[in-house]
Amino acid sequence: TRAELSEALRLEAPAARVIAAGGTLSVTAALHGDKIIALDTATGSVCTLPVATGSGNVYTFITKALATSNSHVIKVADASGLLAGVIHTGDNADGTATSFATTATSDTITLNRTTTGSVRIGGDRIVLTDIATNVYSVSGCCIGTGGEATPFSATV
């Protein structure tokens, strides 16, 4: 059952639950569902989600390495996919926070090394849940600098 699988994954060695994204990653349910995907390259990690089907699979992304060039990017598989939800962004300097919601066309999350995230290792955690055909529910928190901005866009 799904509960038994979740318990087996919880008991699994922590290192086996964290998967490196590398420069590019095509996320799959079989390899990445219910695991933590580490955005781990200084040149930015670009992760493409599988097509959402309503499976309930959860994909969690954390910043393990700060992007020093390019950006960390998480996006849907094709133009039919959408993200729905909110990411809370904290200011690295003063600790205040701003919330950013998706729009009707949001399909990409970009952590750009400043205003949208990838400012502090471990400071970004984004959770995407496959809730319906072509729809991912998104929640998360990021740390940005300066005038924080929405990490959401429509690029696919």
Side-chain angles (χ1 to χ4, degrees):
T1 68
R2 185 163 178 84
E4 292 169 330
L5 176 60
S6 292
E7 181 64 11
L9 289 172
R10 187 184 69 75
L11 296 173
E12 198 176 328
R17 294 193 55 215
V18 178
I19 298 171
T24 59
L25 178 67
S26 292
V27 178
T28 67
L31 296 177
H32 308 104
D34 299 321
K35 297 207 177 171
I36 297 169
I37 301 165
L39 305 172
D40 65 332
T41 61
T43 55
S45 299
V46 177
C47 301
T48 303
L49 298 164
V51 173
T53 61
S55 69
N57 285 325
V58 177
Y59 305 97
T60 302
F61 296 84
I62 60 166
T63 302
K64 187 173 178 181
L66 299 180
T68 56
S69 62
N70 304 313
S71 299
H72 292 310
V73 176
I74 304 164
K75 59 185 179 174
V76 298
D78 59 41
S80 298
L82 292 172
L83 304 174
V86 176
I87 290 179
H88 306 283
T89 302
D91 186 294
N92 191 47
D94 67 17
T96 60
T98 305
S99 297
F100 297 98
T102 56
T103 66
T105 60
S106 297
D107 60 23
T108 302
I109 299 166
T110 303
L111 307 179
N112 69 358
R113 308 180 324 272
T114 57
T115 60
T116 64
S118 190
V119 170
R120 190 181 307 161
I121 293 173
D124 307 308
R125 181 181 183 90
I126 298 167
V127 179
L128 293 135
T129 305
D130 178 351
I131 61 162
T133 301
N134 296 321
V135 181
Y136 279 96
S137 172
V138 59
S139 64
C141 55
C142 296
I143 297 177
T145 61
E148 288 71 35
T150 182
F152 299 112
S153 61
T155 65
V156 178

